[in-house]
Amino acid sequence: MDESLIIKLDNIIKRYEMGENQVLALDDISLEIKKNEYVAIMGPSGSGKTTLMSIIGCLDTPSSGTYYLDGENVEVMDDNELADVRNRKIGFVFQTFNLLPRENCIKNVELPLIYAGVKADQREELAIQALKNVGLEDRMFHKPPELSGGQRQRVAVARALVNNPSIILADEPTGNLDTKTGDEIMKLFHKLWQSGHTIILVTHEEDIALNAKRIIRLRDGKIIDDYVNTHQILIEDQKNI
Amino acid sequence: MKIIATKEAFLQAIHSIRANTLRSSLAALGVVIGITFVILMGWVLSGLDKAMEDSFKAMGTDVMYVDKFDWAGGKSWKELRNRPNITLDQTEKLISRLTSAELAVPVARTNRGKIVYGNQVYENIAIQGTTSQFSLTPSGTIDSGRFFNDIEDRMASNVVVLGWKVYQTLFPNGNSIGSTIKINNVKYTVIGVATKQGTTFADFMDNIVYIPLKSFLGTFGKYRRNFSICVKAGSTDQLDNVRAEVEGQMRMIRNLKPWEENNFSINETKTFETAVSTIRTIVWVVGIGMTLLSFIVGIIGIVNIMFVSIYERTKEIGIRKALGAKRYDILIQIIFESTTIAIIGAFISFVLTSVVAYITATFLPKLIPQVGFLSPMIPLDLLGIATVISIMVGIIAGLLPAMRAANFEPVVAIRYE
């Protein structure tokens, strides 16, 4: 297999049983994503993009098809092995932040490290470093309810980064933010991409998707379009001139 | 790696309990009641045991009584009653023939004693006629004054040694020696007081007076009288030898044929213990039944609270699983939480029962002397047992909710609002 490939989906099908009806959420999806790509997965609601993101994030398993994540065959794994893969290889950023409200920022960012078995003092060090990277060093001891939406999403990004994962998987990361804070978060992702991270963005907003270098469009569980985002390249070319 | 996650799960459990103090303490209430039951029951029983043991010691663990009746029970009353009395002649024969025992003393007894001192009248006191050698058995130990001597035995002197309870009742201000009391209308001079024997629980052992055997037979008559023989083996190692000799001699004295059963009993404190242990077992079984019931209620309480707790934290569990928590991590976190609740319940009971025990044992015996056997301290091994039980209760109560939580689908749980 190609060394630079980080995600390889072959003929992925996901069916849901809804009473007697079967819903085909993903219909024969094949997809390859290379290291240090910046991909946006787009589509209207019901297009299957959330299902696809759950499968890529190992939160759910496909009904059929094969999935290689960073060279590991995921679809043969049991629950505990999937948990381990999520812990090591994936950094999640969610629309609703999904932070633990009763814990302060450091504790929240430490969470993936706890399940990776990192010792307490080392955990705190790594968490503080990750929070510095997202510009939250002065808010480290605050709890999520005391932070603004943009700050909470930056805590979530720090948490996604702390384990040094293979991919960062962001599900509508700006969906609960105003335009200005949304832009700040997108700048953060851009910075992460520049420093070598692989980023997969799931969104239905066109202007957010335009930040990515490659855009994949879904409809009714199928990929209907997959192209290089020339718009973004044009902007950067302009910057370079 | 497991250790780190386990330590974290424990801290999480404490955190979660502190965040829901009221709910957690309500959940612990059932355990508090259950553990309190266990400890108080054990406390009362251990007090009883101690009292029993002390009584046995007072009676002497190397002492046996050859008697018409059997102390342990289990034999039919009719059969026992139809046995022949042990006559004075048989008593004297046995005493003179025994070689292995340290001591053998004749005892005659009635429970229909009537004692008059001044204008005080006491009835149904045990009167025991015996010889001076009885002072060498543990029951004959003297607290003040002296036991009657050999000469007083032979002279059938009217002297009396009071049991502790009789002494206390008749002479609340002390100073009994030299006083004259009437036993069934015959005047006796008090020459000594026996040491306190039974605990307050078995105080019948002190409700007795000792007089010389000949005086006893003079006052209460010797016709058709039943005697018993108090045999002191010397040490508990000698018990088997002495018992064998006593049995053999008694059978010879009574001309029993080899196929005939003994028509007398050899009673030891040990036979008493067997009878007592049956009673203990019954108390335990009844007590355990009641305790079990309160534990079931306690467990249901915790299970309920834990289910509420995991559904309330569905999203949190989803987040944890998405970030890499395995089934085990979730399982252990929930079980730690329920176990901690149960242990907290147990510690509340420790404090509660310690206070109850201290206050009861300090003040209640002043009102009801019969409960003087209660100790002001809860025995430590009981606290150990209670801790183990509470941990088990916590694990049992946490298991079902924990398994449910560990099986949450992360993709569903994380979207739960």
Side-chain angles (χ1 to χ4, degrees), chain A residues 26-44:
Chain A
L26 294 178
D27 185 4
D28 199 19
I29 299 264
S30 294
L31 178 65
E32 291 183 352
I33 294 173
K34 292 197 177 83
K35 267 183 194 146
N36 197 215
E37 271 198 273
Y38 189 168
V39 183
I41 297 173
M42 290 210 63

Side-chain angles (χ1 to χ4, degrees), chain B residues 23 301-314 401:
Chain B
R23 199 166 71 182
I302 297 183
V303 170
N304 239 323
I305 295 291
M306 292 313 295
F307 268 124
V308 170
S309 169
I310 64 160
Y311 283 119
E312 202 181 73
R313 284 186 291 165
T314 302

Side-chain angles (χ1 to χ4, degrees), chain B residues 261-274:
Chain B
E261 271 188 56
N262 286 348
N263 55 7
F264 56 91
S265 285
I266 301 173
N267 299 300
E268 292 166 55
T269 53
K270 213 163 64 184
T271 53
F272 235 173
E273 280 173 56
T274 339

Side-chain angles (χ1 to χ4, degrees), chain B residues 32 164 170 212 255 293 312 317 349 364:
Chain B
V32 172
W164 184 257
L170 290 181
N255 290 322
L293 211 67
E312 202 181 73
I317 292 163
S349 320
L364 197 60

Side-chain angles (χ1 to χ4, degrees), chain B residues 170-195:
Chain B
L170 290 181
F171 301 94
N173 306 320
N175 207 13
S176 60
I177 313 293
S179 308
T180 306
I181 62 170
K182 272 187 181 173
I183 300 173
N184 291 41
N185 292 323
V186 182
K187 280 183 181 171
Y188 281 82
T189 307
V190 178
I191 56 166
V193 177
T195 325

Side-chain angles (χ1 to χ4, degrees), chain B residues 268-319:
Chain B
E268 292 166 55
T269 53
K270 213 163 64 184
T271 53
F272 235 173
E273 280 173 56
T274 339
V276 170
S277 81
T278 322
I279 297 167
R280 286 191 81 248
T281 314
I282 293 167
V283 173
W284 265 112
V285 168
V286 172
I288 294 265
M290 280 162 63
T291 316
L292 223 55
L293 211 67
S294 55
F295 273 130
I296 290 170
V297 175
I299 288 175
I300 292 171
I302 297 183
V303 170
N304 239 323
I305 295 291
M306 292 313 295
F307 268 124
V308 170
S309 169
I310 64 160
Y311 283 119
E312 202 181 73
R313 284 186 291 165
T314 302
K315 196 179 177 71
E316 178 196 319
I317 292 163
I319 294 170

